[in-house]
Amino acid sequence: MKTPLIALAGALLMTAVPATSQDIIVSAEEAAAVELISRELDRNLVHADWPRQQARGEGLAMVRFQRDAGGRAVDVEFYRRSGSSSVDRLARRAVKRLGRNAPLPALGGADQIFQANIIVANSEQAFSDFASKLAKLEKTRLSDPRERRVFAFTASPRKAS
């Protein structure tokens, strides 16, 4: 059985700038918080996928959530489904577990929206294809001024164990 590649949070795209600008602004505090959330999401993806019984589908899932007062992920919903029920189930389960071990950092306001972009691929080529697709989707998403306040975690490859 091939070991799928699972990609997840790595860098933060927080854009609180005028819609006419394509600059991305990230503070040191935001970068540190994203690193913390990224590590937890990584652990959750591995946990949610254990034990792997069979080859998993492939896909790119974009999952949105907010942080409650206790630091847990709430209002978890798909911004974009992957097309594979097993990938969607894995992504949703991993995001829903955020904040269980330690509270998520408080970023933005009480209504801050986060987006985890998760790629599951069974080959380097498939991963590359999904990453290219993600880049195009994010470019389109960021053209909407309302979307520029979303904390979006972009893909960073990691082999699943």
Side-chain angles (χ1 to χ4, degrees), residues 5-9 41 45 117-121 127 154-158:
L5 299 173
I6 300 175
L8 56 132
L41 183 58
L45 281 165
N117 300 321
I118 301 170
I119 295 172
V120 177
F127 174 81
T154 58
S156 173
R158 174 196 69 69

Side-chain angles (χ1 to χ4, degrees), residues 21-95:
S21 172
Q22 292 300 314
D23 294 336
I24 297 173
I25 300 171
V26 180
S27 73
E29 176 188 10
E30 292 165 344
V34 165
E35 179 62 27
L36 184 108
I37 296 169
S38 297
R39 282 194 310 261
E40 184 174 355
L41 183 58
D42 185 45
R43 283 189 302 270
N44 291 350
L45 281 165
V46 171
H47 182 267
D49 196 35
W50 181 261
R52 183 184 326 266
Q53 298 294 322
Q54 58 189 7
R56 179 167 304 286
E58 294 183 305
L60 163 63
M62 302 167 93
V63 183
R64 289 198 170 177
F65 63 97
Q66 291 183 286
R67 177 192 182 277
D68 71 7
R72 297 203 45 182
V74 294
D75 299 328
V76 177
E77 60 185 43
F78 285 98
Y79 178 72
R80 183 183 179 283
R81 290 182 181 270
S82 70
S84 166
S85 61
S86 60
V87 170
D88 291 344
R89 194 170 32 256
L90 172 70
R92 184 177 173 84
R93 189 176 302 140
V95 171

Side-chain angles (χ1 to χ4, degrees), residues 77-158:
E77 60 185 43
F78 285 98
Y79 178 72
R80 183 183 179 283
R81 290 182 181 270
S82 70
S84 166
S85 61
S86 60
V87 170
D88 291 344
R89 194 170 32 256
L90 172 70
R92 184 177 173 84
R93 189 176 302 140
V95 171
K96 285 182 87 166
R97 293 180 56 85
L98 287 172
R100 284 189 178 180
N101 296 326
L104 294 172
L107 294 173
D111 60 347
Q112 180 62 56
I113 297 171
F114 299 87
Q115 179 176 305
N117 300 321
I118 301 170
I119 295 172
V120 177
N122 290 322
S123 69
E124 294 289 339
Q125 182 60 52
F127 174 81
S128 179
D129 293 345
F130 285 124
S132 293
K133 183 176 187 175
L134 174 60
K136 291 175 187 171
L137 289 168
E138 282 294 277
K139 183 176 180 182
T140 300
R141 184 184 68 79
L142 288 171
S143 68
D144 181 345
R146 296 169 297 182
E147 288 292 316
R148 297 179 60 93
R149 302 230 19 108
V150 173
F151 281 100
F153 301 89
T154 58
S156 173
R158 174 196 69 69

